């Protein structure tokens, strides 16, 4: 494990998860609209999960600051938005976090009209897209590092957002469903149904929406995992047949235990989410302990797999004509 890059490993994974989770919550609202369920009713099962998105991103930014020699100079990166992907990453990150926090506050207190809140949600989702794209651009744009200067990097980053974000929201939905079913009164119940009886059971329409959402989120996560798994052979073919010796060296060094465990854990997560969890969600009529176990396990395996994959990503820091492995204990 490259300890020096651990802050960036945490930041990229957590930020992408928070973006993917926000997209998933938006998709649930769209599904509720198509099923003619009132937005206020859908709020009851999404608001609680929404409040987990912001802290995730904040935690990621805190981790990223530990990667800087002088965190107080980070403000200077804002001055090169037109030419620097790093500047764009910071701008979109702040925009996503700020607009997401504002959206959450307006949802919590019922501020602004429903239409304005929906516009704010769309802007937040767009900022999240810009954030993930900018993250990928920071690495993709470095032409002297062949392992990063390839289209595979954006694929890995966007797939990671869909994989971890979808599973995180699926787990959150089951927690909310379980609290309502058990008649528990607590923080989750209060933020998911502000202003009404927070111990009242969910209606049949919302239960059906949760079940459908968990199924689609499981399939989305599994599909994203499959995309990652299918991209790796193409990525290593690109490295192995690249004219630059630096790319060939990275290919040889990454083809080992980290890659094997990365793919094994990801493969198990895909099978659990797209197979067992999806099938269980189709037949369960009440919050299922087995379904919760399956989704939590899939999420944990997916996150661990992403940590291994992101470690491999930073091990690809090998410049053309310059051996940079010395900083990580290489030769």
């Amino acid at each position: 494990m490259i300890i020096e890059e651990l802050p960036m490993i945490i930041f990229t994974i957590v930020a992408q998860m928070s973006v993917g989770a926000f997209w998933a919550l938006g998709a649930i609202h769209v599904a509720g609209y198509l099923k003619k369920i009132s937005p206020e009713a859908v709020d009851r099962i999404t608001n609680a999960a929404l409040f987990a998105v912001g802290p995730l991103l904040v935690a990621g930014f805190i981790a990223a600051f530990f990667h800087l020699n002088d965190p107080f100079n980070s403000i200077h990166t804002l001055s090169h938005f037109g030419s620097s992907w790093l500047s764009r990453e910071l701008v979109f990150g702040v925009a996503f976090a700020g607009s997401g926090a504002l959206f959450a506050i307006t949802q919590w207190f019922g501020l602004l009209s429903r239409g304005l809140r929906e516009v704010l949600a769309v802007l937040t989702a767009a900022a999240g897209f810009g954030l993930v794209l900018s993250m990928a651009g920071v690495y993709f744009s470095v032409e002297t590092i062949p392992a990063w200067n390839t289209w595979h990097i954006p694929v890995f980053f966007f797939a990671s957002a869909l994989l971890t974000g979808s599973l995180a929201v699926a787990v959150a939905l089951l927690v909310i469903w379980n609290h309502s079913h058990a008649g528990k009164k607590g923080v989750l119940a209060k933020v998911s149904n502000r202003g009404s009886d927070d111990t009242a059971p969910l209606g049949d329409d919302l239960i059906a929406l949760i079940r459908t959402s968990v199924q689609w989120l499981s399939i989305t996560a599994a599909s994203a995992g499959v995309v990652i798994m299918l991209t790796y052979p193409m990525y290593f073919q690109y490295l192995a047949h690249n004219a630059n010796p630096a790319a060939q060296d990275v290919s040889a060094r990454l083809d080992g235990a980290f890659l094997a465990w990365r793919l094994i854990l990801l493969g198990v997560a895909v099978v659990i989410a797209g197979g067992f969890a999806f099938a269980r969600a189709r037949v369960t009529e009440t919050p299922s302990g087995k379904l919760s176990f399956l989704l939590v396990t899939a999420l944990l395996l997916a996150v661990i797999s992403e940590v291994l994959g992101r470690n491999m990503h930073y091990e690809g820091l090998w410049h053309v004509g310059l051996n940079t492995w010395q900083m990580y204990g290489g030769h």
Side-chain angles (χ1 to χ4, degrees), residues 12-158:
T12 54
I13 293 174
V14 170
Q16 288 159 21
M17 181 191 297
S18 65
V19 171
F22 194 86
W23 290 344
L25 292 173
I28 293 172
H29 267 276
V30 172
Y33 172 81
L34 295 177
K35 292 178 177 293
K36 301 186 184 305
I37 303 174
S38 72
E40 290 76 17
V42 180
D43 286 344
R44 186 178 175 193
I45 65 172
T46 59
N47 278 0
L50 173 65
F51 283 86
V53 175
L56 275 176
L57 187 59
V58 171
F61 271 115
I62 291 174
F65 280 128
F66 282 103
H67 185 264
L68 302 175
N69 289 329
D70 186 353
F72 295 102
N73 286 332
S74 60
I75 190 65
H76 297 303
T77 61
L78 294 172
S79 59
H80 301 285
F81 182 83
S83 58
S84 170
W85 281 107
L86 183 59
S87 294
R88 295 166 189 157
E89 179 184 35
L90 183 58
V91 169
F92 279 118
V94 171
F96 176 71
S99 59
L102 182 59
F103 174 71
I105 291 171
T106 57
Q107 282 286 96
W108 172 256
F109 292 104
L111 304 175
L112 305 179
S113 66
R114 169 66 59 174
L116 288 176
R117 294 205 300 273
E118 290 176 351
V119 170
L120 187 56
V122 171
L123 293 176
T124 302
F129 179 88
L131 174 58
V132 177
L133 181 63
S134 299
M135 284 181 179
V138 168
Y139 305 101
F140 176 81
S141 62
V142 185
E143 298 180 0
T144 58
I145 305 179
W148 292 354
N149 184 226
T150 167
W151 61 266
H152 304 91
I153 301 304
V155 172
F156 286 142
F157 279 24
F158 277 99

Side-chain angles (χ1 to χ4, degrees), residues 116-250:
L116 288 176
R117 294 205 300 273
E118 290 176 351
V119 170
L120 187 56
V122 171
L123 293 176
T124 302
F129 179 88
L131 174 58
V132 177
L133 181 63
S134 299
M135 284 181 179
V138 168
Y139 305 101
F140 176 81
S141 62
V142 185
E143 298 180 0
T144 58
I145 305 179
W148 292 354
N149 184 226
T150 167
W151 61 266
H152 304 91
I153 301 304
V155 172
F156 286 142
F157 279 24
F158 277 99
S160 177
L162 294 175
L163 169 68
T164 57
S166 297
L167 288 174
V169 171
V171 170
L173 289 179
L174 283 180
V175 172
I176 295 166
W177 188 10
N178 180 68
H179 272 247
S180 174
H181 182 76
K184 295 180 180 180
K185 191 170 184 178
V187 175
L188 286 177
K190 290 177 181 177
V191 298
S192 64
N193 190 31
R194 184 172 178 83
S196 58
D197 181 8
D198 50 19
T199 62
L202 298 174
D204 292 341
D205 54 349
L206 288 181
I207 291 176
L209 180 59
I210 287 178
R211 290 178 57 198
T212 302
S213 297
V214 170
Q215 292 175 53
W216 280 105
L217 290 170
S218 299
I219 288 297
T220 299
S223 299
V226 169
V227 168
I228 293 174
M229 296 176 69
L230 293 178
T231 302
Y232 265 111
M234 293 183 283
Y235 178 59
F236 277 95
Q237 282 291 315
Y238 155 78
L239 292 176
H241 294 88
N242 197 292
N244 291 314
Q248 299 172 18
D249 287 339
V250 171

